[in-house]
Amino acid sequence: MRSVGGRGSLNQKFQILALRDVASQINSGGDLQTVLQHLIAAACRHAHWSLGSIMGIDAAHGYAYVIVRYDPTLIERQLPDRWELATSPSLIALQRNEPVYIRDARESVEFPGYRKEAFERDYRTVLVMPMNCKDAEGRPMVLSVISRQITEVSEDDLAFLGAIIHMGAIAVEREHRLEAEKRAAQRLERALQAHTSLLEHVLSDGAVAPLSAMVGMMLPNPTVVVDFTANQVIAGRPPNALYDEASWQEVAATTLARPLMKAAREAIDRGATDAASLFLDDGAQRFKISARIEPLTVDNQLVGALIIFPTSREFSDLDLLMLDSAKFALSVQMLRSFIRFRFETRTQTELFFEIVEARWRNAGDVTQRAQRLGLNFSQPQQMIVVDFPDKTKAFGGASVDVEHTLARIMQQASLQANLIAIDGGVVCLVPYDASKRQERTVKVTRRIAEELGRYFDEPPVVVAGNRCAALSDYPAAWERCSRMIRICRSFGLTGAVSAQDFGPLPMLVAASEAGDVRSFVQESVGAIAEHDRENGTPYLETLSTYLQEGCRSQACADTMGLHVTTLRYRLSRIQELFGVDVDTPEKRFAVELAIRLHGVIDNRVSAEK
């Protein structure tokens, strides 16, 4: 490589006219490839070079790629379109930002690739100049011109060629801007088309699932739509390499559905929606992933969420516009389901209370109204009443997860059930279980308590009613269920409860105030129970067995496996410590009643624990 030498400069007037012609050629229109082709052709013709090329420099991978060539004498043959930068002057021209002049490529030791090709293609002098612009792939470009004879290059020649390159660089940047504007216009047009398609889908009363698929195609990021109104999760593209699209959609809708819904709710409640961390475990693999969670609301009530997983590309303003369109469409679609559900729920509730409060007059009218709402009171049914511990999550309110959980439980139990909202709970009307022990009903009530216990963080009270064969049977069944729920709430009991769990005694005292009942129990046997807990004594058990055996000492001793002397000592200690007297029938009844009520309050709670 030699430093740039001197060659007779071209006539200035000729150069000015040549530059005007070059500008006309470069600006004659076309895409970026055409602009570059015009540029290299003009540089060779007007600066008197035999052939040339423009190359994009991929320094990261170590290659220079030929973008366009100018060779009017080129014979049809395959030429290399990629040069290793280690054997090319292009990288040096870029690094130094100055021309690289090879006076005679056939004698070049520094660039053996050029020396070999110089003999093959019959050329001598090479000049490589940086262009200060980039190609369509963002690679910096250099212009290379070649002469078949040894050519001296003057400062004027470099200035002239530099002016051509500068005009070309301006044209290239113009093409980049035009291309960027074209792409932006296309994206805007696609966004408007997508927005129109979303609205058309919503106005046609389509479903959430296909709408979610449209949203997934609109946005550049993988997404998951969480629909709280239908208790479903709809996934699009997978967020990582652990899943293919089909397996991700399946696992998101099944195993990961509950964790995704819970994570979405918690992130929205905390206000940490921009960068939420999700810890997911599908049973086969667990992973942590960050996500952006957009709440979907209707009348300030949460009906869903859009989970957006990050990619290397940042959200553009246009992406944000499409995101707003997607959120609007999903919210409106969920609004339809929400309003439909709430209307049907309210109407069913009004009819149900008209029946259980015996406010109806015409049975035929009630039956017809019920049929229109999907209810059937013409066949034997029983009601399962669920009383929620958290009244703010009332069935049919801001969230309808409870409804879908109950529907799933009924479906798994093969029960055709109607769910009716009540204040702070829900009534499930199911076909009457005619089996002697009502095994299916017991199993369903326990499952309801277990499933909703996780939702509320505490089991609700779940009770099953009697057989209802006619409209007139419902008021009594409703009153019985309500009475059992009042007993449970008074005594602090939760979970699935039946009358057999209590025996008849609590039903007889249900009308009493819970505070009075507890006071009676505490005054009668509370001190004995507390002494047993603190000292490990069996005094309350001994007294209970003694009363059950009709106050017969020998029978009680045999039942408890004691010597009768030991029994009499215990009874005397009970009399001495607590002043309990069971000599008369009235006193025996009061003590036995207190013991039984104590068992209802404490034993049931212990069994649940």
Side-chain angles (χ1 to χ4, degrees):
M1 183 179 69
R2 289 180 48 191
S3 60
V4 175
R7 185 182 78 161
S9 62
L10 299 173
N11 182 272
Q12 290 185 354
K13 180 178 180 181
F14 170 78
Q15 289 181 343
I16 293 173
L17 293 175
L19 288 176
R20 185 179 64 180
D21 184 53
V22 170
S24 299
Q25 291 184 46
I26 292 175
N27 290 288
S28 60
D31 55 11
L32 179 60
Q33 189 79 6
T34 303
V35 169
L36 294 177
Q37 191 68 59
H38 288 166
L39 173 62
I40 188 61
C44 290
R45 286 200 301 267
H46 292 282
H48 303 292
W49 292 91
S50 304
L51 49 147
S53 64
I54 293 177
M55 291 179 288
I57 308 304
D58 186 356
H61 297 89
Y63 288 100
Y65 293 89
V66 177
I67 301 174
V68 293
R69 274 193 175 92
Y70 173 76
D71 188 352
T73 62
L74 180 63
I75 303 173
E76 288 295 332
R77 60 171 173 163
Q78 188 71 29
L79 294 176
D81 60 358
R82 186 178 72 171
W83 292 78
E84 291 187 10
L85 290 178
T87 63
S88 170
S90 303
L91 186 59
I92 297 175
L94 284 177
Q95 290 174 340
R96 297 179 180 177
N97 194 30
E98 62 183 27
V100 174
Y101 170 67
I102 307 174
R103 184 175 183 278
D104 190 351
R106 296 183 184 183
E107 297 179 358
S108 175
V109 178
E110 189 174 358
F111 306 108
Y114 271 90
R115 182 174 60 183
K116 179 181 177 182
E117 193 187 55
F119 285 102
E120 292 177 353
R121 298 183 61 192
D122 186 26
Y123 63 77
R124 305 298 289 266
T125 301
V126 177
L127 179 64
V128 180
M129 299 185 68
M131 294 183 62
N132 296 319
C133 60
K134 297 180 179 180
D135 64 8
E137 298 181 18
R139 300 173 300 194
M141 295 188 293
V142 297
L143 181 143
S144 174
V145 287
I146 296 172
S147 174
R148 299 197 182 279
Q149 296 82 31
I150 295 178
T151 304
E152 304 296 336
V153 179
S154 68
E155 294 295 336
D156 289 342
D157 297 330
L158 290 177
F160 178 66
L161 193 56
I164 294 176
I165 291 174
H166 182 67
M167 287 190 294
I170 293 173
V172 168
E173 293 301 322
R174 180 200 62 199
E175 291 299 320
H176 284 325
R177 288 194 299 271
L178 291 176
E179 184 63 26
E181 292 173 0
K182 182 179 178 181
R183 289 195 300 267
Q186 290 174 342
R187 289 199 300 268
L188 180 58
E189 184 178 0
R190 287 197 299 269
L192 293 175
Q193 290 175 348
H195 181 77
T196 302
S197 299
L198 291 175
L199 291 181
E200 288 176 349
H201 181 90
V202 171
L203 293 175
S204 64
D205 199 16
V208 173
L211 182 62
S212 302
M214 294 173 64
V215 170
M217 294 175 62
M218 281 175 48
L219 299 177
N221 299 52
T223 59
V224 168
V225 174
V226 179
D227 184 0
F228 294 135
T229 69
N231 200 30
Q232 64 177 339
V233 173
I234 306 162
R237 302 188 303 276
N240 52 36
L242 297 176
Y243 304 92
D244 57 31
E245 187 164 324
S247 61
W248 166 246
Q249 291 175 355
E250 180 181 358
V251 75
T254 54
T255 310
L256 296 180
R258 184 182 293 273
L260 286 169
M261 286 191 287
K262 183 179 179 182
R265 281 189 181 279
E266 291 178 349
I268 293 170
D269 290 342
R270 295 195 310 268
T273 57
D274 287 340
S277 294
L278 307 185
F279 298 87
L280 301 177
D281 184 354
D282 65 1
Q285 50 197 354
R286 60 180 61 183
F287 59 95
K288 175 184 176 182
I289 189 169
S290 62
R292 173 177 179 170
I293 299 177
E294 294 287 342
L296 304 175
T297 57
V298 176
D299 294 335
N300 295 322
Q301 294 180 343
L302 186 66
V303 295
L306 179 61
I307 302 176
I308 306 170
F309 297 102
T311 63
S312 57
R313 173 189 161 189
E314 294 291 331
F315 254 49
S316 66
D317 292 340
L318 198 56
D319 293 330
L320 293 174
L321 177 63
M322 289 195 288
L323 175 60
D324 288 339
S325 296
K327 289 173 58 179
F328 175 75
L330 288 169
S331 298
V332 171
Q333 187 61 56
M334 293 178 188
L335 170 66
R336 290 177 177 272
S337 301
F338 182 76
I339 291 177
R340 186 183 301 114
F341 165 78
R342 189 158 56 180
F343 173 76
E344 292 176 354
T345 298
R346 186 183 301 116
T347 308
Q348 289 178 342
T349 302
E350 292 172 354
L351 179 61
F352 175 77
F353 278 102
E354 187 176 334
I355 292 172
V356 299
E357 292 173 359
R359 291 186 283 106
W360 55 274
R361 295 183 180 181
N362 189 312
D365 175 63
V366 171
T367 301
Q368 288 182 358
R369 288 164 56 198
Q371 287 177 347
R372 285 196 296 269
L373 295 172
L375 304 176
N376 186 2
F377 292 102
S378 63
Q379 62 181 6
Q381 296 185 115
Q382 65 184 129
M383 61 181 72
I384 297 175
V385 183
V386 184
D387 187 64
F388 299 156
D390 186 353
K391 307 303 182 185
T392 63
K393 294 185 178 180
F395 180 79
S399 169
V400 292
D401 287 0
V402 171
E403 184 253 353
H404 292 284
T405 300
L406 291 174
R408 175 169 47 80
I409 293 173
M410 297 302 174
Q411 183 179 13
Q412 292 172 349
S414 300
L415 283 175
Q416 294 293 328
N418 293 109
L419 308 179
I420 300 173
I422 59 174
D423 186 20
V426 60
V427 174
C428 309
L429 294 178
V430 299
Y432 178 68
D433 184 0
S435 63
K436 185 175 182 180
R437 296 185 179 180
Q438 292 207 324
E439 291 90 350
R440 185 173 66 176
T441 301
V442 170
K443 184 177 179 180
V444 168
T445 56
R446 289 176 178 172
R447 180 74 183 281
I448 291 173
E450 178 185 352
E451 291 279 338
L452 295 187
R454 289 194 289 267
Y455 179 78
F456 289 105
D457 297 326
E458 176 187 343
V461 175
V462 186
V463 299
N466 295 333
R467 180 176 184 270
C468 297
L471 292 177
S472 57
D473 297 329
Y474 285 89
W478 170 250
E479 178 57 32
R480 183 174 184 271
C481 290
S482 300
R483 187 164 58 246
M484 291 178 64
I485 290 173
R486 288 197 300 271
I487 294 172
C488 291
R489 291 304 180 198
S490 297
F491 295 154
L493 307 181
T494 60
V497 181
S498 66
Q500 289 74 20
D501 293 325
F502 299 119
L505 189 58
M507 306 302 290
L508 296 176
V509 298
S512 301
E513 289 291 335
D516 294 340
V517 173
R518 288 185 179 274
S519 296
F520 168 70
V521 173
Q522 181 63 30
E523 291 171 2
S524 301
V525 296
I528 303 176
E530 184 176 352
H531 186 278
D532 285 348
R533 283 194 297 270
E534 293 178 353
N535 300 280
T537 53
Y539 290 155
L540 191 61
E541 178 189 5
T542 300
L543 185 58
S544 176
T545 306
Y546 182 68
L547 293 171
Q548 290 174 9
E549 295 296 335
C551 298
R552 295 175 298 155
S553 298
Q554 188 62 55
C556 178
D558 293 342
T559 299
M560 298 189 70
L562 303 174
H563 192 277
V564 69
T565 303
T566 303
L567 173 66
R568 287 170 180 163
Y569 171 75
R570 288 186 185 178
L571 293 174
S572 65
R573 287 291 292 167
I574 291 171
Q575 170 67 29
E576 178 184 341
L577 293 172
F578 310 109
V580 175
D581 185 3
V582 291
D583 292 338
T584 65
E586 292 79 7
K587 292 179 179 179
R588 286 198 298 272
F589 174 77
V591 173
E592 185 171 6
L593 177 61
I595 291 173
R596 288 182 177 273
L597 287 174
H598 177 270
V600 170
I601 296 172
D602 287 351
N603 294 348
R604 165 87 184 178
V605 173
S606 299
E608 295 231 349
K609 291 181 179 178

